[in-house]
Amino acid sequence: MAEGILFLALLSVFAFLFVLILIKSFLLICHPNEVIILSGRRRRLSDGSVVGYRIIRGGRAFRVPLIERAAKMSLETIPLELTVSNAYSKGGIPLRVEAIANIKIDSTEPTFGNAVERFLGKTLQAIHEIAKDTLEGNLRGVLAELTPEEVNEDRLKFAQSLINEADSDLKQLGLQLDTLKIQNVSDEAGYLDSIGRRR
């Protein structure tokens, strides 16, 4: 009788531990600075399109075993240092521009779907490089439309033009530009210095 009770007690303990291990294996907890992507099941978005994943933003969810696979994407800010040399402004003067920017993955639909398609499984360094190359290309495009005086005198307007230019490209990648600051504008030909001396 005592052996039967002991056996049932041990069996209960093992069953309880087994249930705890199952819950720990399939319960996913999402922190505020990340998104969990559960791929494997279809989901209809608000615009009517169908995707093969569901997303968890904050909170928790159960992963369906054998059907769903979980991956995480960080929503933390990615700082970028931008440097563009020999970028020709309007009028043909080559400029050097140094700027800093902060970007992050845009967690709002439908832009987040672009980030999932392009960056799921990629390292933070790979996202950093892609975003940096994109912003530097946009920076060259904006410089080509402005004179050196406009670039140097009204940096807020210059930064706003760059934000407007980069916005659509970054949305295509699933990224969001948080901040952008122009730090330095210079030219090797001495054009900006000569303008300052004339004044």
Side-chain angles (χ1 to χ4, degrees), residues 33-131:
N33 64 341
E34 67 185 7
V35 175
I36 295 177
I37 299 99
L38 293 167
S39 54
R41 287 170 52 190
R42 293 185 178 272
R43 179 176 75 101
R44 188 174 298 278
L45 299 177
S46 57
D47 63 357
S49 59
V50 177
V51 294
Y53 61 88
R54 63 185 172 114
I55 55 175
I56 311 299
R57 278 191 204 91
R60 60 186 178 273
F62 274 100
R63 177 175 66 88
V64 178
L66 303 176
I67 295 175
E68 290 182 320
R69 178 174 291 169
K72 292 183 180 181
M73 287 185 81
S74 174
L75 298 179
E76 292 179 358
T77 300
I78 304 169
L80 300 173
E81 291 184 12
L82 307 172
T83 303
V84 173
S85 299
N86 290 324
Y88 285 90
S89 62
K90 191 175 182 180
I93 306 296
L95 298 177
R96 175 183 170 85
V97 177
E98 296 171 12
I100 56 169
N102 288 314
I103 61 144
K104 67 175 188 174
I105 290 177
D106 191 346
S107 63
T108 58
E109 292 288 353
T111 311
F112 184 69
N114 295 341
V116 169
E117 290 175 8
R118 287 160 180 83
F119 299 128
L120 189 62
K122 288 198 184 286
T123 64
L124 198 62
Q125 184 63 31
I127 298 171
H128 180 280
E129 290 299 321
I130 292 168

